[in-house]
Amino acid sequence: MTSAPSPSTPRSRVAVIGGGIAGLTLAVALGHFQKQHPPNSIPLEVHIYESGPNITTVGAGISVWPRTWAIMRALGLYEDLARASVQPLDNDSSVGDNTRTEGDLKTAFVLRKSDQPRGYEFGRVMVPHGSTTMHRADLVNALAAHLPPSCTVHTSKRLVSYTEDQTQTSASDDPRTAYTLHFSDGTTALADVLIGGDGIRSAVRQTMYDLAHARDCPSSTSREECARCRRATPKWTGTVAYRYLIPAESVRAVNPEHNALKVTSPISYSGKGKHIITYPISHGKYLNWIGFVAIPGGEGTTYPRKWVLDASQAEVAAHYAGWEPEVGQMLKLVEKPTLWAIHTVEDLPFSVSGSVALMGDAAHAMTTHFGAGGGQAIEDAFILGRLLGDARTTLALVPAILKIYEAVRLPFAREVVANARKVGLMYEFSSPGLYDGIPPEGVDEKEKDVGERRQLTELLGAVQGLWQWQWKEPVEAQWEDVDKRYDVFVKSQAC
């Protein structure tokens, strides 16, 4: 029998690696769910370890969908985020409800055919309640403002690896695993539960799979050659993205009627093998501008340069020569872009080992084509907080409870990763069996135009179909699934 800790002793020490959207949401969720239990409940001790000198974020814009708004409402953050968003969703309990009718659908995404002098809109993705956008920093600031007193943030702490240590707190206890965290500055820290929210280059994931490979796999096979463990290595998608924030006033000075100024939802300016996404952030002060370029034969190969580099305006403009005037107008304002090589973690075999779990990009880094990476990280963190924050979760039960998280979240997120890739191919007229952007030969212009628009309508239907995951399964269904699994497990342990 395990001896119970005294009220002054934390129930467990939870280390969260990464002070980004995932890590902050988890800390807020842990505080939220702990407050729902009696005042004399034994608290968790939560430590966030952030590699940078401050709590900040990578990237500029983020799309916030009804699934995410449902979580923010549950955590009491709706009002703060609504003030930061370009166009907040209505604050009603139906957000995220999959019973919404066709009449409730709103524009979430606009598609244009732009790789020609006369571009045109060929459709809109319609989603219940639509979408909204905001600056990532605004989301991070809202989360940081709601960190519970039980959470301590440590900055300039870059995790290098962790080691597993067997501990035994009393003669009657079964040996348990504690974790020693090793940081790049030479310091260490101890944790009972370790959560990796440290992004696509996660040191937690790297160590988890190094240990698992050494434990489970033939010693004659390296980790990078192992059919299971090599899937933990990020994969280059064959795509690069140019990023820049364009002041909205600069666009307005060039073209007051520019569609990017009039549409609050993301717009895809699409062409063969390339597309541009733009949408307003910071209450419309800036346009978040991202230009994607697929490199033929690049997918699955090793990217030969640094993952993030400075680029030139001329380099970006050369990719979109001959595109519609709206694109050219924006390109003249993309003054100092950065170049990002887009990598994913697309088919991770497992995201939990012992009392260690991965979340967000550490578990399922995805392309940005659904604008869902941040939202999926928030969904992970909310469920982890729901499970670990429950007063019935003892340290001895954590490994099994984390498996509940893995069973519910990992398959769902892996499917989002796969479908994000598919929909990205559609945006660039590169999806097999659909419009391919190649003009037919031997037909007149009128016939070509009619055929092109018909195929683009079919393409729009396929895009809309892939987007339906955002509302067909309400996020609350996962909460209910987790709660049922958790209750069954806890009751089985009491027998």
Side-chain angles (χ1 to χ4, degrees):
M1 180 180 294
T2 302
S3 58
S6 69
S8 61
T9 303
R11 182 154 38 106
S12 59
R13 300 162 295 181
V14 179
V16 182
I17 308 301
I21 291 171
L24 294 173
T25 302
L26 174 56
V28 172
L30 287 169
H32 171 79
F33 286 107
Q34 287 188 93
K35 285 192 296 186
Q36 296 185 4
H37 297 290
N40 61 348
S41 296
I42 301 168
L44 295 170
E45 181 181 293
V46 182
H47 295 269
I48 294 178
Y49 297 95
E50 164 57 32
S51 62
N54 301 293
I55 293 294
T56 184
T57 186
V58 176
I62 184 171
S63 297
V64 185
W65 304 99
R67 297 175 66 91
T68 306
W69 281 109
I71 292 172
M72 293 298 119
R73 181 176 294 102
L75 293 176
L77 297 178
Y78 174 87
E79 295 297 337
D80 284 6
L81 289 182
R83 285 192 291 270
S85 66
V86 171
Q87 182 177 327
L89 275 67
D90 295 336
N91 187 10
D92 68 74
S93 61
S94 64
V95 173
D97 182 1
N98 71 337
T99 64
R100 305 292 283 187
T101 66
E102 289 297 312
D104 297 305
L105 298 178
K106 296 181 180 179
T107 299
F109 198 72
V110 178
L111 290 157
R112 295 182 63 83
K113 187 174 189 313
S114 300
D115 57 345
Q116 57 194 41
R118 296 184 64 180
Y120 61 89
E121 180 181 315
F122 67 87
R124 299 188 172 207
V125 174
M126 308 300 290
V127 173
H129 301 281
S131 69
T132 190
T133 56
M134 66 180 65
H135 201 293
R136 282 178 175 264
D138 292 331
L139 174 57
V140 165
N141 290 339
L143 290 166
H146 287 266
L147 289 175
S150 58
C151 176
T152 303
V153 177
H154 309 264
T155 56
S156 299
K157 290 294 181 183
R158 181 178 296 278
L159 185 76
V160 176
S161 65
Y162 67 85
T163 51
E164 299 176 337
D165 308 295
Q166 292 293 313
T167 63
Q168 194 165 12
T169 56
S170 71
S172 60
D173 278 346
D174 294 328
R176 295 197 191 129
T177 301
Y179 302 95
T180 301
L181 315 181
H182 302 271
F183 298 101
S184 60
D185 61 2
T187 61
T188 60
L190 297 175
D192 302 305
V193 182
L194 174 59
I195 309 296
D198 48 343
I200 190 169
R201 289 180 158 178
S202 169
V204 179
R205 186 186 66 243
Q206 173 77 25
T207 304
M208 177 188 287
Y209 275 80
D210 283 347
L211 294 173
H213 183 75
R215 181 182 65 239
D216 303 334
C217 305
S219 59
S220 58
T221 304
S222 70
R223 210 199 89 175
E224 290 308 311
E225 294 173 334
C226 175
R228 182 192 72 168
C229 298
R230 69 186 179 197
R231 286 149 64 189
T233 301
K235 170 186 171 183
W236 182 36
T237 62
T239 294
V240 296
Y242 297 91
R243 298 177 182 265
Y244 190 68
L245 289 182
I246 303 177
E249 284 303 314
S250 299
V251 178
R252 190 169 286 108
V254 173
N255 178 5
E257 298 301 312
H258 200 290
N259 279 291
L261 298 174
K262 298 190 293 182
V263 179
T264 58
S265 300
I267 301 176
S268 176
Y269 294 87
S270 294
K272 180 63 176 177
K274 305 168 188 177
H275 74 287
I276 293 167
I277 298 292
T278 185
Y279 56 84
I281 62 170
S282 300
H283 297 288
K285 185 178 180 181
Y286 294 99
L287 295 179
N288 191 36
W289 190 95
I290 313 171
F292 296 90
V293 178
I295 309 301
E299 184 173 17
T301 65
T302 300
Y303 187 67
R305 307 165 70 189
K306 290 183 178 180
W307 287 17
V308 181
L309 294 166
D310 291 333
S312 69
Q313 186 180 49
E315 177 185 343
V316 179
H319 287 297
Y320 305 99
W323 284 40
E324 66 170 303
E326 284 199 356
V327 170
Q329 292 160 2
M330 290 188 292
L331 286 169
K332 291 178 181 178
L333 302 173
V334 179
E335 297 174 349
K336 295 181 180 180
T338 52
L339 173 67
W340 298 61
I342 307 301
H343 289 71
T344 61
V345 178
E346 64 181 24
D347 192 23
L348 200 68
F350 56 89
S351 58
V352 166
S353 179
S355 294
V356 182
L358 305 172
M359 63 179 178
D361 283 355
H364 43 71
M366 60 189 66
T367 57
T368 63
H369 305 314
F370 280 136
Q376 287 303 290
I378 288 169
E379 290 187 33
D380 286 348
F382 184 77
I383 285 182
L384 280 169
R386 195 179 191 94
L387 292 168
L388 295 174
D390 194 298
R392 296 170 292 173
T393 299
T394 65
L395 189 54
L397 299 182
V398 167
I401 286 170
L402 290 180
K403 283 295 184 180
I404 295 174
Y405 156 76
E406 179 187 66
V408 173
R409 284 296 306 150
L410 187 58
F412 185 89
R414 280 193 304 218
E415 186 173 0
V416 177
V417 174
N419 285 335
R421 175 187 178 276
K422 292 177 184 177
V423 84
L425 293 175
M426 293 177 187
Y427 299 162
E428 298 186 349
F429 311 146
S430 298
S431 181
L434 294 169
Y435 176 69
D436 61 8
I438 301 173
E441 297 181 357
V443 297
D444 61 33
E445 286 299 312
K446 182 177 180 180
E447 185 179 351
K448 179 176 86 68
D449 183 65
V450 170
E452 177 180 273
R453 290 178 182 266
R454 175 181 53 77
Q455 291 180 70
L456 286 171
T457 299
E458 294 173 354
L459 178 67
L460 174 64
V463 170
Q464 178 82 23
L466 283 179
W467 272 80
Q468 291 187 19
W469 69 272
Q470 284 278 10
W471 70 92
K472 284 296 185 183
E473 180 188 337
V475 67
E476 292 89 346
Q478 289 190 3
W479 309 348
E480 293 170 4
D481 186 11
V482 165
D483 288 348
K484 289 178 182 176
R485 292 173 186 243
Y486 182 91
D487 289 341
V488 168
F489 171 72
V490 170
K491 288 176 181 176
S492 72
Q493 298 303 298
C495 296

